[in-house]
Amino acid sequence: MRGVYLAQLSALHELLGQMCDLAGEAMARSTHALLRADLAVAEEVITDHEQIVRMSADAEERAFALLALQAPVAGDLRAIVSTFQIVADVDRMGALALHVAKVARRRHPDKAVPEDVHGYFAEMGRLAVNLANNASEALKSQNPEDAMRLREDDDAMDALHEHLFTVLLDRNWQHGVPCAVDVTLLGRYYERFADHAVLIGQRVVFQATGKSPAPSRKS
């Protein structure tokens, strides 16, 4: 029975890692749609989001089955309960990528962000994909060291997010209020995407060690 439980838990972690990969791919495509005003890619992201929704439901069902059939205690219970939180984090990452795609679609045929902030969003998109990929690796490896590396890209994301506000508040901003609102929301979407990836890393550390890592500086 113990071997069956461990195999099922490993398969669940693998599924969650695949969901992180999909969220990262969605954010990569959403960023492309945002910066290129590519309606076709934005529509693909919106349509493909249903796959993450289905996988989230599958992961929750598997976690409930482990609770019901294995009656876990102590560390095993900790691992399964944390899994429910991870499902919510990955699901939210997918939803945030979806929001970016919807902004790109709403502003088409225009670009949702002006040229002078393109560099910010290109880099935020790159960091978001890295974070999703690293969260996936941490889930699959269950290695706390892999999980802790997520903070480095999160710090870089926070710095970009802060710099973005300096551009918006500059008196030389010439793109109007609607554009400023879009840029503000988009910056928040990328920042929250990164936050959920870091939370996944923290949950992996908790699953593996029973200890929560020290809070990040912004907590």
Side-chain angles (χ1 to χ4, degrees):
M1 290 294 292
R2 181 66 181 173
V4 171
Y5 163 76
L6 291 175
Q8 290 175 334
L9 186 60
S10 178
L12 182 53
H13 289 150
E14 181 72 22
L15 175 61
L16 292 170
Q18 292 171 5
M19 290 170 61
C20 279
D21 290 335
L22 286 176
E25 291 170 10
M27 187 57 94
R29 290 188 293 156
S30 291
T31 302
H32 168 89
L34 184 71
L35 299 180
R36 304 286 183 86
D38 193 327
L39 180 61
V41 172
E43 293 285 8
E44 287 175 3
V45 174
I46 293 166
T47 300
D48 292 348
H49 179 67
E50 185 59 32
Q51 183 177 1
I52 294 179
V53 174
R54 290 194 301 268
M55 293 173 76
S56 293
D58 183 23
E60 285 189 343
E61 287 179 8
R62 294 191 193 191
F64 276 121
L66 285 173
L67 278 176
L69 300 177
Q70 301 296 337
V73 295
D76 293 340
L77 181 61
R78 180 177 72 231
I80 296 173
V81 171
S82 295
T83 294
F84 287 107
Q85 297 171 312
I86 292 169
V87 171
D89 287 321
V90 185
D91 190 68
R92 189 60 189 152
M93 288 166 68
L96 288 161
L98 175 68
H99 291 338
V100 174
K102 286 184 174 180
V103 172
R105 182 177 67 175
R106 185 173 69 248
R107 294 303 182 193
H108 186 269
D110 297 323
K111 292 181 179 179
V113 296
E115 291 290 339
D116 43 343
V117 295
H118 269 214
Y120 287 93
F121 284 103
E123 181 63 7
M124 291 172 87
R126 185 190 69 81
L127 289 170
V129 174
N130 282 351
L131 282 156
N133 291 341
N134 290 337
S136 172
E137 185 171 337
L139 282 165
K140 294 171 184 177
S141 71
Q142 289 294 292
N143 185 334
E145 292 184 4
D146 291 341
M148 293 304 293
R149 292 193 192 102
L150 286 156
R151 286 191 177 181
E152 297 175 11
D153 281 341
D154 184 49
D155 288 342
M157 181 73 83
D158 289 340
L160 281 167
H161 190 229
E162 290 175 10
H163 282 301
L164 192 60
F165 274 108
T166 67
V167 175
L168 288 170
L169 295 174
D170 193 298
R171 60 184 179 182
N172 292 322
W173 177 263
Q174 300 176 349
H175 307 290
V177 172
C179 182
V181 171
D182 279 344
V183 169
T184 300
L185 286 174
L186 287 163
R188 182 62 172 164
Y189 296 154
Y190 283 94
E191 189 225 5
R192 289 302 298 156
F193 186 99
D195 288 346
H196 283 288
V198 171
L199 282 172
I200 289 171
Q202 292 176 350
R203 300 193 204 288
V204 169
V205 172
F206 180 68
Q207 285 178 327
T209 68
K211 299 177 181 179
S212 297
S216 62
R217 287 175 294 177
K218 64 180 176 182
S219 294

